Amino acid sequence: MASNSPAPEGTELQETPGAGAWGEWNPTEDSARPLRGKHRVLKPRGGLARSSTVLGVGVIAAVGAGGIATAQDRPQVAISVPSLPDLLGGGDHGGAAAAQADSVTVPRQADGQQAAPAQAHGDAGEALRHRILQQAESQQDAAEAQARADAERAARESAAQEARNQKEAVDREAEAVRAAAEKAAAEKAAADQAATGQAETKAAADTGSGGGPAVKASGGWSLPTSSYTLTSHYGDSGSMWSSGHHTGLDFAAPTGTPVKAVGGGTVVSAGWSGAYGYRIVLRLQDGTEVWYCHLSSMAVTSGAVGAGDTIGRVGATGNVTGAHLHLEVRKGGSTVDPLTWLTARGLDV
């Protein structure tokens, strides 16, 4: 083999013979020395080169056969893995003979059960399945609890709505009762008013009880009431009167009997007056005052009135023993006999 090292000084350089000088060299397996080191090419065994690829394929096949294959009808698989010295190619043992391959046998049970690696894989799968079932059960329990809570809330809302509906119904019924009561009261008031008007008309036409005459007008004058009986006269003495004697004329009549103005004048006072009860004071045009006492109600409390106008109603207020009209006539602050005063004006009392 030619060397590329420079020749020492004093030495003649000779041309390297060419291929024609040496002849054609065809190295063979016997003539060529095997390369040593990392670059040695391994001899093929059975048509397949021993290399790292063979090792990888063998390991994958072994793992697959041990952890994945579970078929019952397949026989046991034997996988040969090259020994480490053959792969490294160290020393003179590199290409002389094939190293004995290690056999890896993947056991498979004859009764169809998984082998040990598959059994471990199955245990992990069973644990995963158990966790999934537990999670599903937990989710189902949560869904059922939520459904129960929703049902209870809906029931409470329904009960509350029913209570509101019942309260509204009760309120409507109460409002209807109030409206009916108000209507009945209005109808009764109207009936009472109509009955009062009829009583006034009848009282004006009837003669007084006990022989007393009805209201009569004479020359612009009128009797103070109708359907009456004279019970006490002016000047009567007794303990019932504070002055020791009676200062007016009493017309006994049913409560509510109309009280009339005896003549045209002006109502100057109307209201409560102690022992007189409710009292109206009518001042006539000549200054004479006529007092209407013990009234049950007052129709006119001020202003001008004419003879025969209704100004109040007979009652029993104040110091009385029964319903009647106490009539007083006062001139210049002093009382006069009402009977004499009325008769002087053409009224038949």
Side-chain angles (χ1 to χ4, degrees), residues 63-316:
V63 173
I68 301 177
T70 58
Q72 299 181 7
D73 56 349
R74 290 180 177 269
Q76 294 182 356
V77 179
I79 301 174
S80 297
V81 180
S83 63
L84 183 60
D86 287 340
L87 292 175
L88 297 177
D92 295 333
H93 302 286
Q100 181 66 31
D102 295 334
S103 297
V104 178
T105 302
V106 179
R108 187 179 306 276
Q109 296 180 3
D111 56 356
Q113 299 295 327
Q114 272 189 327
Q119 180 67 31
H121 184 272
D123 293 341
E126 180 64 20
L128 177 60
R129 185 180 70 85
H130 183 66
R131 287 197 299 272
I132 292 174
L133 291 178
Q134 285 183 338
Q135 184 177 6
E137 291 177 358
S138 176
Q139 293 177 352
Q140 180 67 21
D141 294 341
E144 292 177 355
Q146 183 64 32
R148 287 193 298 269
D150 293 342
E152 292 175 357
R153 183 172 60 255
R156 289 194 298 271
E157 292 177 354
S158 178
Q161 183 63 36
E162 182 66 21
R164 287 193 294 271
N165 294 338
Q166 292 179 357
K167 183 178 182 301
E168 291 176 357
V170 171
D171 293 341
R172 287 194 296 269
E173 291 178 0
E175 184 64 24
V177 170
R178 286 195 296 270
E182 292 176 356
K183 181 179 179 181
E187 292 176 352
K188 184 177 183 302
D192 292 344
Q193 186 67 25
T196 301
Q198 292 175 0
E200 290 178 358
T201 303
K202 184 176 182 299
D206 293 342
T207 58
S209 62
V215 175
K216 296 179 182 178
S218 176
W221 300 97
S222 175
L223 289 174
T225 188
S226 61
S227 303
Y228 62 87
T229 300
L230 296 177
T231 56
S232 296
H233 292 74
Y234 181 79
D236 290 345
S237 60
S239 60
M240 294 184 298
W241 301 289
S242 59
S243 61
H245 65 276
H246 195 220
T247 57
L249 182 64
D250 288 348
F251 297 80
T255 299
T257 302
V259 173
K260 308 291 186 178
V262 295
T266 303
V267 175
V268 296
S269 176
W272 183 261
S273 184
Y276 287 108
Y278 287 109
R279 181 190 68 174
I280 293 176
V281 177
L282 173 64
R283 181 176 296 164
L284 302 178
Q285 295 177 357
D286 62 356
T288 302
E289 290 185 354
V290 181
W291 291 12
Y292 301 84
C293 305
H294 309 307
L295 301 177
S296 62
S297 63
M298 298 175 292
V300 179
T301 57
S302 63
V305 295
D309 290 348
T310 300
I311 59 175
R313 297 186 182 279
V314 174

Side-chain angles (χ1 to χ4, degrees), residues 320-344:
V320 297
T321 57
H324 69 280
L325 169 65
H326 174 83
L327 184 72
E328 285 190 10
V329 178
R330 292 175 176 262
K331 297 183 67 175
S334 300
T335 61
V336 297
D337 185 356
L339 180 58
T340 303
W341 187 88
L342 292 173
T343 301

